[in-house]
Amino acid sequence: MLSSCTHTPAPEVVTAPAKPNKNTLGPAKSENIAKVEAALPDVAPAKPKTDRKILIVSRCEGFVHKSIPLGVKAIQLMGEKTGAYTADETKDLSVFTTKALKQYDAVMFLSSTRLDPTPEQRAALLDFIRGGKGIIGIHAATDNFYQWEEGAKIMGGLFCGHPWTARCTVQMKLDEPDHPINASFHGVPFQVTDEIYQFKDPYSRENQRVIVSLDMADPDTKAVKGGKPDKIVREDGDFGVTWVRKEGKGRVFYCSMGHNHHIYFDNRILQHYLAGIQYALGDYDVPDEIK
């Protein structure tokens, strides 16, 4: 449980002026793209049932992660190389209409921050996912929807700080070593240097199937070595990293790794992403029931 940071939805705002998009980052550096290309998976774990298309949302109204352009490029290149999907990018939430979303099979929030869709945009996204499509979240995708309780629950939780900062090396626990989305790790727990989030409500293992989390049995991870141990507010020691969940007829995949550029140079993590993406697209049938 949480000692603080518990989510209490704020009163619904009927109308509000549009917030500016703070993401004005330029394209990814060519040398970093080359590193991504060297790390891309050769094949997808599943054959697409039909041509698939993803909408990547990179709009930021809060913090802007410098890795966003590289992350977007990595996702696009991975789809092209494996044939699993194609991907468009947008920073404009006006695309959240029933008509515009029909051309897509999944919407990915890639480190977007502090987004607060209008009631009409929320309705379009709810119809999209519950009608059988996918929602994908990478890293800061949980730093959105603070005024939208249904959206936060769909994503699986709300950001509540990152005691493990970008320079922290943490031990990852495979909650399900044999889960197909974890196949790239070959059943072996691993370490990663990245900014790792803690979450507040509605994060709950009763709401989603957590398949990777922080290994709090590791002394350095538990001590938040190099990070901010005083920022831990969860009393239950449960810090999920990757999960899947059903939403109506649709599917959700989320992974909090992705702050640092080098995450997109790691073949294991790209394969992990790809398997989760194909699950969200409806092409990869994997266990997603709540345990």
Side-chain angles (χ1 to χ4, degrees):
M1 62 183 294
L2 292 174
S3 58
S4 63
C5 254
T6 302
H7 173 50
T8 301
E12 183 70 28
V13 178
V14 178
T15 59
K19 296 180 180 179
N21 170 33
K22 295 182 179 180
N23 180 5
T24 57
L25 298 171
K29 295 180 179 179
S30 58
E31 59 266 33
N32 285 336
I33 295 174
K35 293 177 183 178
V36 166
E37 290 175 329
L40 290 172
D42 292 322
V43 296
K47 182 179 179 179
K49 297 174 183 177
T50 186
D51 291 342
R52 299 297 192 185
K53 195 172 184 181
I54 296 173
L55 178 65
I56 303 174
V57 179
S58 61
R59 181 181 178 88
C60 297
E61 294 173 5
F63 184 82
V64 181
H65 287 78
K66 293 181 180 179
S67 60
I68 288 174
L70 186 65
V72 170
K73 192 66 176 177
I75 297 300
Q76 291 175 327
L77 289 173
M78 187 160 61
E80 292 172 11
K81 182 175 181 179
T82 63
Y85 56 84
T86 58
D88 295 337
E89 180 190 9
T90 187
K91 299 179 181 69
D92 185 357
L93 298 191
S94 67
V95 74
F96 291 165
T97 67
T98 300
K99 182 178 180 180
L101 289 175
K102 279 185 178 179
Q103 64 181 302
Y104 297 104
D105 299 286
V107 172
M108 172 185 287
F109 295 91
L110 196 152
S111 285
S112 58
T113 53
R114 302 286 165 164
L115 301 185
D116 185 19
T118 67
E120 294 78 13
Q121 292 166 349
R122 295 177 186 185
L125 282 171
L126 288 176
D127 288 345
F128 179 82
I129 177 69
R130 291 172 178 170
K133 300 297 183 73
I135 295 290
I136 303 159
I138 301 296
H139 193 52
T142 43
D143 190 18
N144 298 289
F145 311 147
Y146 292 94
Q147 305 291 332
W148 183 25
E149 189 170 10
E150 283 180 298
K153 186 174 182 180
I154 286 170
M155 193 60 71
L158 286 172
F159 170 77
C160 188
H162 46 77
W164 297 271
T165 59
R167 295 182 180 180
C168 288
T169 298
V170 297
Q171 183 72 29
M172 293 291 180
K173 177 176 66 176
L174 301 179
D175 293 66
E176 295 190 43
D178 297 327
H179 196 282
I181 293 178
N182 286 337
S184 62
F185 305 123
H186 305 289
V188 181
F190 62 99
Q191 289 189 332
V192 66
T193 301
D194 202 25
E195 179 185 272
I196 302 299
Y197 288 176
Q198 71 179 337
F199 300 102
K200 60 183 177 181
D201 295 342
Y203 174 82
S204 170
R205 290 185 183 240
E206 296 180 358
N207 181 52
Q208 59 243 33
R209 184 165 178 153
V210 178
I211 60 174
V212 180
S213 62
L214 283 187
D215 185 356
M216 298 302 282
D218 174 67
D220 288 345
T221 302
K222 183 177 181 180
V224 198
K225 185 178 179 180
K228 301 176 181 178
D230 59 311
K231 298 299 183 181
I232 290 183
V233 298
R234 292 201 70 91
E235 296 176 346
D236 59 6
D238 183 17
F239 301 94
V241 171
T242 300
W243 56 74
V244 293
R245 65 182 306 275
K246 294 178 180 177
E247 180 65 35
K249 296 179 181 179
R251 299 150 304 279
V252 179
F253 166 73
Y254 172 79
C255 180
S256 72
M257 292 183 283
H259 175 92
N260 288 335
H261 285 68
H262 68 247
I263 294 297
Y264 302 99
F265 310 153
D266 191 321
N267 174 265
R268 302 167 306 166
I269 294 174
L270 292 180
Q271 288 189 62
H272 184 63
Y273 283 166
L274 181 56
I277 289 168
Q278 286 206 291
Y279 159 73
L281 288 170
D283 290 327
Y284 200 23
D285 295 327
V286 305
D288 57 5
E289 300 82 7
I290 305 300
K291 289 184 151 186

